Amino acid sequence: MTSTIDSPSRHGGRSPSTGEWLHDWDPENEETWDRRLAWQTLAVSTGTLTLAFASWFIASAIAPKLNDIGFVLSKDQLYWLVAIPGLSAGVLRLVWMVLPPILGTRRLVTLTTLLLAIPLVGWGIAVQNPDTSYAWLLTLAALSGIGGGAFSGFMPSTSYFFPRRLQGTALGLQAGLGNFGVSLVQFVTPWIIGFSMVGFLGAAQTASAPGKPTHDVWYQNAAFVYVPFVIVGAVLAWTLLKSVPVRANIREQFDIFSNPDTWCMTLLYVMTFGTFAGLAGQFGLLLKNLYGAGNAEIVATLPDGSTQLLVAGYDVPDPVKLVFLGPLVGAAARVLFAPLTDRFGGARWTLVSGIGILASILYTMTTLTPDPAAGAAALDADFHHFLYGMMAIFLFAGIGNAATFKQMPMIFERRQAGGVIGWTGGIAAFGPFFFGVGLTMMSPAAFYAIGAAFAVLCIVITWVRYARPGAPMPS
């Protein structure tokens, strides 16, 4: 049996539909393509994907502050806590990638959105009790991976609704705005925990940190605030979405693995989205462990309970208030550069992305061994260089995310392109896990050196296979 999308030739006119399923859907035929339905699908699925990413990265927003509210977790335990959602999402994406032809867009988006409520409610309850076991925290981290798994189902589903000439724009908008969910959860968390907005769902926690007075926080808000939006998103998905009858069983979808471009594009998407997701998950802990107050010697405890640090005059950064910047830059780059990939092709921008990531990594490596004894001015300068370097990595990763998603629909036929998008997204979703394990096993400098070498490999693949004049698969 051959996998297909029904052709409009038998009926003519706009694609008729009965209930959930469309009939004779062909986005390449301007006369029959329902533009309004396509953009409506993009809007609803993008909104719910943003919530999915927020749910996926909830642990990265909460973990850096858990010890401040009474938990007792080591650096390695915190790295693992933030890494596990990446492991879970990577595995779940390999499941979600085969679901679009089986469930259809409407059921897939609705059911996945409802599932997001499970880890969100779980985190909201767990953070209120410092005696919550580490095993349960890891379980919640794994359940958060549902939000990451959604990507490999939502993106192929959306690709079925748009012609190839708009694939870069449509997929770039969906993925980029979905990626804003990472920045959203990290930006909203420091603000939303500061008052009892949903305090009736739990009591305040007392937060204490070196150099700062104690104060009340409501960390359950960081998770509970998304639950009403999840319910609304699921209702909208069920009432507004349709499904395209893409005919393919699970065995047929595995034919993508016989194509060498599947493996090349997997490496390139690991370089781009794997870097984005990995750094987004670990940015807060990196910032805290490299430049936080815990790395400066405490020399005195003041009468108000605060502490005086060895490096006087150094403004210790609060990771919870800064980590949203990187994902924000990366997501914005993905959105803004998506139309440019439609105009100039994806391969060129993937090449730019690889070179930019390599240069940014090399720059950032000079800031990964700060020395508090060097004084406040030197420490402050190193911190700002580290921050700028990280922003540059996020920027070029975002450009590459847009570019690779333009390449895939150009390289593969429509149904295969959906499968490759799901597969590459699944492997790249392991980024937070690989980053967490790597930073646990080796120094940040050594880990970044491996990242630089991998970027060189991806630059060579992009040039030889896709970007050079006369390349075998220009895209």
Side-chain angles (χ1 to χ4, degrees):
M1 184 174 74
T2 303
S3 57
T4 64
I5 298 179
D6 283 349
S7 167
S9 59
R10 294 174 308 194
H11 298 282
R14 284 197 178 274
S15 302
S17 62
T18 303
E20 174 184 354
W21 294 92
L22 297 170
H23 300 300
D24 306 321
W25 179 260
D26 183 10
E28 304 299 336
N29 187 335
E30 285 288 343
E31 295 182 359
T32 63
W33 179 46
D34 189 338
R35 182 185 300 268
R36 180 177 177 276
L37 176 61
W39 288 103
Q40 178 176 284
T41 301
L42 179 67
V44 173
S45 59
T46 298
T48 53
L49 184 62
T50 302
L51 294 172
F53 268 81
S55 174
W56 184 19
F57 279 84
I58 189 73
S60 72
I62 291 175
K65 289 294 188 178
L66 284 178
N67 285 345
D68 293 349
I69 57 174
F71 288 80
V72 182
L73 301 171
S74 68
K75 287 184 179 180
D76 284 355
Q77 285 179 312
L78 290 173
Y79 274 132
W80 275 104
L81 191 61
V82 177
I84 288 298
L87 173 64
S88 173
V91 173
L92 290 175
R93 283 191 178 189
L94 301 182
V95 177
W96 256 253
M97 64 174 279
V98 302
L99 294 181
I102 297 172
L103 292 180
T105 302
R106 181 184 185 183
R107 296 183 188 183
L108 177 65
V109 175
T110 301
L111 294 175
T112 302
T113 303
L114 286 174
L115 288 174
L116 300 178
I118 298 174
L120 290 172
V121 172
W123 277 112
I125 295 173
V127 296
Q128 299 180 60
N129 181 10
D131 294 327
T132 300
S133 70
Y134 185 62
W136 179 238
L137 293 178
L138 289 177
T139 300
L140 290 174
L143 290 171
S144 297
I146 295 171
F151 185 88
S152 285
F154 286 29
M155 295 295 289
S157 293
T158 299
S159 72
Y160 299 151
F161 286 84
F162 286 87
R164 286 184 174 180
R165 64 181 178 82
L166 292 176
Q167 291 273 324
T169 298
L171 296 181
L173 285 172
Q174 177 161 51
L177 294 175
N179 290 168
F180 273 122
V182 183
S183 187
L184 174 69
V185 71
Q186 294 172 339
F187 175 77
V188 167
T189 295
W191 170 71
I192 203 70
I193 63 172
F195 55 91
S196 180
M197 187 186 75
V198 288
F200 63 88
L201 294 175
Q205 302 93 51
T206 300
S208 60
K212 298 180 180 180
T214 60
H215 58 285
D216 287 341
V217 290
W218 289 262
Y219 257 90
Q220 63 268 34
N221 293 1
F224 286 151
V225 69
Y226 299 104
V227 175
F229 296 100
V230 163
I231 296 172
V232 171
V235 171
L236 290 175
W238 185 255
T239 56
L240 297 179
L241 297 186
K242 299 287 186 179
S243 298
V244 177
V246 180
R247 309 286 180 80
N249 59 36
I250 293 177
R251 179 181 59 81
E252 289 169 338
Q253 295 183 62
F254 288 165
D255 64 355
I256 61 174
F257 299 120
S258 62
N259 190 328
D261 287 301
T262 297
W263 303 104
C264 290
M265 292 308 302
T266 299
L267 291 174
L268 299 186
Y269 199 57
V270 167
M271 176 187 70
T272 59
F273 184 77
T275 298
F276 171 86
L279 285 183
Q282 300 296 338
F283 190 15
L285 290 177
L286 264 175
L287 186 58
K288 182 176 182 179
N289 292 336
L290 290 175
Y291 290 97
N295 294 301
E297 182 182 345
I298 304 300
V299 296
T301 301
L302 303 181
D304 65 357
S306 63
T307 52
Q308 180 179 346
L309 302 180
L310 171 65
V311 186
Y314 171 57
D315 187 12
V316 178
D318 185 348
V320 172
K321 294 182 178 179
L322 290 173
V323 292
F324 79 94
L325 290 172
L328 178 65
V329 169
R334 189 167 195 168
V335 172
L336 294 175
F337 278 82
L340 295 178
T341 66
D342 276 332
R343 183 173 181 181
F344 298 107
R348 295 179 184 179
W349 288 109
T350 300
L351 186 65
V352 170
S353 169
I355 295 172
I357 288 174
L358 174 61
S360 303
I361 289 175
L362 294 176
Y363 174 84
T364 308
M365 286 176 64
T366 65
T367 69
L368 298 178
T369 54
D371 181 11
L379 196 60
D380 190 66
D382 282 348
F383 161 67
H384 283 93
H385 289 163
F386 169 77
L387 189 63
Y388 300 149
M390 292 289 284
M391 294 304 104
I393 297 174
F394 276 110
L395 170 66
F396 287 107
I399 293 172
N401 287 338
T404 50
F405 265 43
K406 171 61 178 179
Q407 286 184 263
M408 285 181 262
M410 303 304 294
I411 295 170
F412 303 93
E413 59 91 5
R414 182 174 297 275
R415 194 269 305 161
Q416 280 196 328
V420 174
I421 287 170
W423 163 258
T424 57
I427 298 302
F430 285 109
F433 176 71
F434 290 142
F435 273 64
V437 172
L439 292 170
T440 300
M441 297 177 61
M442 64 188 78
S443 69
F447 185 74
Y448 273 58
I450 294 174
F454 183 70
V456 170
L457 171 64
C458 291
I459 291 169
V460 172
I461 291 174
T462 304
W463 174 254
V464 172
R465 185 72 179 169
Y466 305 110
R468 66 181 172 87
M473 295 296 294
S475 52

